[in-house]
Amino acid sequence: MRDVVALQAAEVLEAQHRHLQRLDSFRGLERWRDVLVERSALRNGAYGCPLGSLASELADQDEEARKAMARHFATWEALLEAGFARMRDSGVLRADVDAGWLATGLMAALQGGYLLAQTAQNVEPMRIALDMAIAHVKTYAPPAANAAPEAGSSTR
């Protein structure tokens, strides 16, 4: 089972790394969301998160697997945190933003969205959860950034 966890985590985290390694704009965050939602919609009714599904099955059964899952989620969250830090450092987000706090909130919205999408067999709850979380992140833009168009880059 640990090999399955490691393989699944490697696949998920590699994809997340590709999309988040240069995240530095709201548009990049929206593109990341679009990729996640589209990928979930294309999985023939398997709308859940591959890591989240394993975590829900294993966390109470195998302490080592639970610890491994926690490390994998922390790695994913760290990719988001680094992106928010770049956004903060470049002025896209206010200087007082706690990048880790935003990353935890977005990860929670994502995982909850995955769970609801899986239960409903409809990607819309996931899209709504991510849209609401991203809208909240945007409230941390400095006032001047709200008036001017964003100089953007990508998530690649």
Side-chain angles (χ1 to χ4, degrees):
M1 187 52 70
R2 291 182 185 127
D3 289 342
V4 171
V5 169
L7 178 64
Q8 197 69 269
E11 290 176 8
V12 169
L13 293 174
E14 173 58 31
Q16 291 307 303
H17 185 265
R18 279 193 316 271
H19 293 290
L20 294 171
Q21 68 184 339
R22 289 184 282 173
L23 173 68
D24 64 0
S25 68
F26 292 127
R27 184 64 198 124
L29 194 57
E30 291 164 347
R31 281 193 294 268
W32 170 77
R33 180 242 7 244
D34 292 345
V35 167
L36 288 172
V37 170
E38 182 178 316
R39 183 171 291 154
S40 186
L42 294 174
R43 291 184 57 220
N44 298 322
Y47 296 101
C49 173
L51 285 183
S53 296
L54 283 173
S56 68
E57 290 181 29
L58 298 176
D60 294 334
Q61 307 300 319
D62 183 326
E63 182 62 13
E64 290 304 312
R66 184 200 63 74
K67 288 178 183 177
M69 296 304 299
R71 287 190 302 273
H72 299 315
F73 277 114
T75 298
W76 193 349
E77 197 170 312
L79 292 169
L80 287 166
E81 182 176 355
F84 289 136
R86 283 189 294 278
M87 292 170 72
R88 180 192 58 217
D89 296 346
S90 68
V92 174
L93 293 173
R94 293 189 328 238
D96 64 340
V97 160
D98 182 333
W101 188 81
L102 288 178
T104 298
L106 185 55
M107 181 60 79
L110 171 61
Q111 291 303 314
Y114 265 130
L115 179 63
L116 293 175
Q118 183 178 26
T119 303
Q121 294 216 329
N122 181 335
V123 76
E124 197 59 22
M126 180 183 179
R127 182 187 326 273
I128 291 167
L130 288 171
D131 284 349
M132 290 182 74
I134 291 170
H136 183 73
V137 170
K138 288 179 178 180
T139 68
Y140 291 95
N146 291 330
E150 178 185 344
S153 81
S154 71
T155 60
R156 291 193 244 176

